[in-house]
Amino acid sequence: MTALTPDELRLWHAWKRASDAVRARVGEEITAETGLSDPDFGVLSRLEDLGHGRLRQNELAASMGWHRSRLSHQLTRMEERGLIDREDVQRGVQVSVVITEAGRTAIATARPVHATAVRRHLAAHVPADQLPQFIAALESLAG
Amino acid sequence: MTALTPDELRLWHAWKRASDAVRARVGEEITAETGLSDPDFGVLSRLEDLGHGRLRQNELAASMGWHRSRLSHQLTRMEERGLIDREDVQRGVQVSVVITEAGRTAIATARPVHATAVRRHLAAHVPADQLPQFIAALESLAG
DNA sequence: AAAGATTGAAGGTTCAATCTTA
DNA sequence: TAAGATTGAACCTTCAATCTTT
């Protein structure tokens, strides 16, 4: 009810700035080097890591915490760009998403860029001796 | 160059989930109670806090770290919704943004909702004895 | 030319409505 | 009916091009 205290306000502003900055920097480096957007990278990573290149749309959405319509719109754009194909199973239901050769090439190029960006823009700023508590706080926030 | 280590990967995923979750939860509560979007809330807060209800577009953009076009698009939508007015100074240059009565009412309703949401979804998850280091890490990330 | 601002296009996200199959 | 998926509208963000005034 009462207004935020100076400490709470400082925490909020620092959180928001850090949140925006890390997202923007990692995303920009991937886009600059590979042309993939952040969501493109997420989808292609999951396809390879969880499904070896093929997943049902349903499983893909669940693994990313996305709503159906969000994934559907995203896949439509990725299909137009040639990064994935959709294959119908059982006449229009349970659609399988398959990574294309172009998709494989793109994600292979993007992975090391992503790793470097995560190290530079996130991991490097968390002192090693605080890492466990930092991760614990993040996991509590996410929960 | 090399792939992310398990620790780095865990940090990255925790960061991303926390980042998305806090943003979404705070935003949803404000929208549900007031109809204001997250950017709406940000603009109206700055207008009151920095300019007592009136600011030049340029100053507003700088204070939020926004590009001109982003603010311009946002203000166009907010003007249509009656939250702000634009007043020309010096024939089309140096536009002043003024909060309307509807804008004042909306932000007054939103502030306590925001405070409660920030406490519940962010501040409550950071142990008091870790707060200084946590904020320090965030400010390093934002820098 | 430089500074402040606008615009249109393209991509991304959410919501509600819809469609198809089981 | 329920589950999987699509679609259209509205909103948000970025980029490049443009416009006006100084």
Side-chain angles (χ1 to χ4, degrees):
Chain A
M1 290 309 199
T2 48
L4 293 174
T5 67
D7 263 9
E8 289 170 330
L9 210 50
R10 189 168 169 214
L11 171 62
W12 170 248
H13 282 139
W15 172 264
K16 237 179 104 180
R17 281 203 313 275
S19 202
D20 291 346
V22 173
R23 177 191 319 273
R25 287 169 194 156
V26 173
E28 279 162 15
E29 292 194 9
I30 293 176
T31 302
E33 304 254 2
T34 69
L36 294 179
S37 72
D38 206 55
D40 292 342
F41 178 80
V43 167
L44 295 178
S45 304
R46 302 273 176 171
L47 271 181
E48 279 202 335
D49 295 346
L50 267 71
H52 300 287
R54 169 186 310 266
L55 275 181
R56 297 233 171 119
Q57 216 167 291
N58 202 24
E59 300 171 278
L60 188 50
S63 79
M64 312 215 301
W66 283 16
H67 288 176
R68 295 185 207 301
S69 78
R70 178 175 178 182
L71 183 60
S72 192
H73 284 301
Q74 177 68 28
L75 292 180
T76 297
R77 290 187 299 266
M78 291 180 74
E79 204 171 8
E80 288 167 358
R81 290 177 217 139
L83 296 170
I84 57 107
D85 281 328
R86 281 197 262 211
E87 294 182 358
D88 283 2
V89 179
Q90 299 171 20
R91 277 169 273 210
V93 181
Q94 300 281 70
V95 176
S96 278
V97 184
V98 188
I99 193 168
T100 62
E101 262 312 295
R104 295 234 187 240
T105 303
I107 190 67
T109 309
R111 280 195 197 278
V113 177
H114 178 253
T116 301
V118 167
R119 286 199 183 101
R120 175 160 45 212
H121 300 303
L122 177 62
H125 298 265
V126 184
D129 62 336
Q130 293 172 29
L131 189 60
Q133 305 126 67
F134 191 76
I135 290 183
L138 292 179
E139 290 180 342
S140 169
L141 287 165
Chain B
M1 288 311 199
T2 48
L4 292 174
T5 66
D7 263 9
E8 288 170 329
L9 209 51
R10 189 169 169 213
L11 171 62
W12 170 247
H13 281 140
W15 173 263
K16 237 180 106 181
R17 283 203 313 274
S19 202
D20 290 346
V22 174
R23 177 189 321 270
R25 287 170 194 156
V26 174
E28 279 162 15
E29 293 194 8
I30 293 177
T31 301
E33 304 254 3
T34 69
L36 294 179
S37 71
D38 206 56
D40 292 342
F41 179 79
V43 168
L44 295 178
S45 305
R46 301 273 175 171
L47 270 181
E48 279 203 334
D49 295 346
L50 268 70
H52 300 286
R54 170 187 308 267
L55 275 180
R56 296 234 172 118
Q57 216 166 292
N58 201 25
E59 300 171 277
L60 187 51
S63 80
M64 312 216 301
W66 282 16
H67 289 177
R68 297 184 207 300
S69 79
R70 179 175 178 181
L71 183 59
S72 192
H73 283 301
Q74 178 68 29
L75 292 180
T76 297
R77 290 187 297 267
M78 292 179 73
E79 205 171 7
E80 288 167 358
R81 288 176 219 140
L83 296 170
I84 57 109
D85 281 328
R86 280 196 262 211
E87 294 181 357
D88 283 1
V89 179
Q90 299 172 20
R91 276 170 270 208
V93 181
Q94 301 281 71
V95 176
S96 278
V97 183
V98 187
I99 193 168
T100 62
E101 263 312 294
R104 295 235 188 238
T105 304
I107 190 68
T109 309
R111 280 195 197 276
V113 178
H114 178 253
T116 301
V118 167
R119 286 198 183 101
R120 176 160 45 214
H121 300 303
L122 177 62
H125 298 266
V126 184
D129 61 335
Q130 292 172 29
L131 189 59
Q133 305 124 67
F134 191 76
I135 290 184
L138 292 179
E139 289 180 342
S140 170
L141 286 164

